[in-house]
Amino acid sequence: MNPTAKTRFSMRSIQRTTKCRYIGTTSSRVDQTMRLSDGRTLGYAEYGCETGYPLIFMHGYPQCRLEASALDHIFRQRRIHVIAPERPGFGLSTVQPNRRIMDWPADVQALAHHLSLSRFAIMGGSGGGPYALACARMLPQGMMSAVGIFAGAGDWRAGAHHMPWIYRVSMLAAEHWPAGLRGSLAFVVWILRNGLNTQMATRRINDYLLKDRDQHDESVEERRAQLLRIIFEPFAQGTGPAAYEAKLLSQDWGIKFGDITYNNLHIWHAEKDWNSPLPMTEYYVKLLSKKPSFTVFEGDTHFTIHRHLDEILSELIPESL
């Protein structure tokens, strides 16, 4: 064994045997910010194991840095250090005028430098999938140990007819009547905010949270407050950013799939995903120059595929890392 390989083996052994220091879900860890070179603020949160392998998690649509908190117990079990940045306009991240999906990798690289991460894995869930793909295209390949797309948004060029009618209407509004879409989203948020604060809703939420109480240390009241914050934090700066991202996700992403040369790309999708239909993911997978590891879970939907997350994380971050 050469000296370099021996050092690498030793570091891996240390990482596996080092006691995991769990990251608490206090505001100091989930409400972090950094200043980007153009003056914008980037919000992010940390979860899982502080001494674990770093994974940059890209939230879905319309969500923010808090989405990953729902998976914190899995990240802890697998000893993964998760960093969850939020895109411009969501949560704590300030708006970036006229932003594009391909602008996102620069923010991720800046965050990695801020946290002194020389190498990390990437996962994009749902609406975060195209942003993970943009990172595979734009970031230095040596920075990424793997890139994963989990139930990711599909390419609308495969045919809008694959999408549910409500999404097709939203897409048209995002393009031709953004003020109407902003207003509609604001109305939905208002309805939810008022409805979820009623006694009946509180009781039902508490009953739901009690079902898996063994996985959590927090009280039901604390977890209900966290759940409500997950729902409403993405709209802390209004509904404009969500309306704008609806436009970005339903138009050409600006990614030239044939130019993606990164060779450790993993894509997992559900066979019966009506939220992000499988044909729209298969469309861009066929255009990739480097064929990814592509797994379709039969019988699963957009909202049940998470039960395979432990298997997915094992593939994305092997024990040898």
Side-chain angles (χ1 to χ4, degrees):
M1 180 181 295
N2 63 55
T4 302
K6 184 175 181 180
T7 301
R8 196 159 50 234
F9 175 81
S10 300
M11 290 303 294
R12 288 173 179 172
S13 300
I14 291 171
Q15 188 176 50
R16 285 197 297 269
T17 57
T18 300
K19 182 177 177 60
C20 179
R21 295 197 299 272
Y22 294 136
I23 296 173
T25 54
T26 60
S27 61
S28 63
R29 302 309 294 268
V30 303
D31 297 332
Q32 300 185 75
T33 61
M34 66 163 289
R35 184 60 60 91
L36 296 166
S37 60
D38 62 359
R40 287 184 294 117
T41 295
L42 178 68
Y44 67 96
E46 292 182 89
Y47 302 101
C49 177
E50 187 176 8
T51 54
Y53 192 83
L55 168 66
I56 296 184
F57 179 87
M58 296 165 193
H59 62 78
Y61 170 84
Q63 256 304 323
C64 68
R65 70 193 184 281
L66 302 180
E67 181 183 42
S69 65
L71 307 173
D72 186 47
H73 61 287
I74 298 178
F75 298 142
R76 290 185 177 201
Q77 290 169 3
R78 295 208 59 83
R79 296 173 175 259
I80 297 173
H81 177 195
V82 171
I83 303 101
E86 53 199 358
R87 296 188 285 277
F90 293 93
L92 299 173
S93 291
T94 51
V95 172
Q96 181 183 19
N98 301 314
R99 73 178 176 93
R100 304 167 302 162
I101 289 176
M102 292 296 281
D103 293 330
W104 177 243
D107 287 1
V108 173
Q109 188 167 9
L111 177 61
H113 288 321
H114 176 71
L115 297 175
S116 300
L117 302 178
S118 58
R119 190 166 167 81
F120 49 84
I122 286 175
M123 174 180 276
S126 192
Y131 292 90
L133 204 58
C135 288
R137 170 66 181 88
M138 299 297 293
L139 289 182
Q141 296 197 10
M143 293 186 72
M144 303 173 291
S145 59
V147 175
I149 299 173
F150 175 65
D155 193 322
W156 283 64
R157 290 178 297 178
H161 64 279
H162 293 296
M163 296 296 291
W165 70 268
I166 188 65
Y167 289 174
R168 297 199 298 270
V169 171
S170 297
M171 181 268 289
L172 290 172
E175 174 66 19
H176 302 290
W177 191 32
L181 182 57
R182 291 194 299 270
S184 298
L185 289 171
F187 179 69
V188 171
V189 171
W190 181 83
I191 290 289
L192 285 173
R193 196 180 296 277
N194 285 274
L196 293 177
N197 283 321
T198 63
Q199 289 185 351
M200 180 180 294
T202 297
R203 185 165 58 251
R204 291 187 176 181
I205 292 172
N206 287 352
D207 290 343
Y208 169 77
L209 294 174
L210 280 169
K211 292 179 181 178
D212 64 340
R213 61 183 181 273
D214 292 339
Q215 295 182 351
H216 303 270
D217 299 327
E218 302 92 346
S219 68
V220 170
E221 290 74 18
E222 289 173 325
R223 290 175 57 209
R224 185 180 69 249
Q226 290 173 6
L227 177 61
L228 293 178
R229 194 175 181 215
I230 290 172
I231 294 172
F232 297 116
E233 179 70 8
F235 308 102
Q237 300 179 62
T239 57
Y244 184 76
E245 180 150 291
K247 178 179 177 180
L248 289 180
L249 292 174
S250 60
Q251 294 186 345
D252 187 338
W253 299 339
I255 302 173
K256 293 183 178 180
F257 301 112
D259 290 345
I260 296 177
T261 59
Y262 186 70
N263 60 7
N264 197 17
L265 177 62
H266 304 259
I267 300 173
W268 306 274
H269 214 82
E271 177 194 19
K272 298 182 178 179
D273 190 336
W274 63 266
N275 194 66
S276 179
L278 180 59
M280 301 178 77
T281 294
E282 292 175 328
Y283 172 82
Y284 77 75
V285 167
K286 292 176 182 177
L287 297 176
L288 293 168
S289 57
K290 297 282 186 178
K291 296 309 173 187
S293 167
F294 184 30
T295 302
V296 177
F297 293 103
E298 295 183 5
D300 275 297
T301 70
H302 196 77
F303 304 103
T304 64
I305 192 175
H306 70 275
R307 64 185 177 179
H308 302 284
L309 188 57
D310 194 62
E311 172 188 345
I312 286 168
L313 288 171
S314 295
E315 186 177 353
L316 187 68
I317 306 176
E319 289 293 327
S320 59
L321 287 177

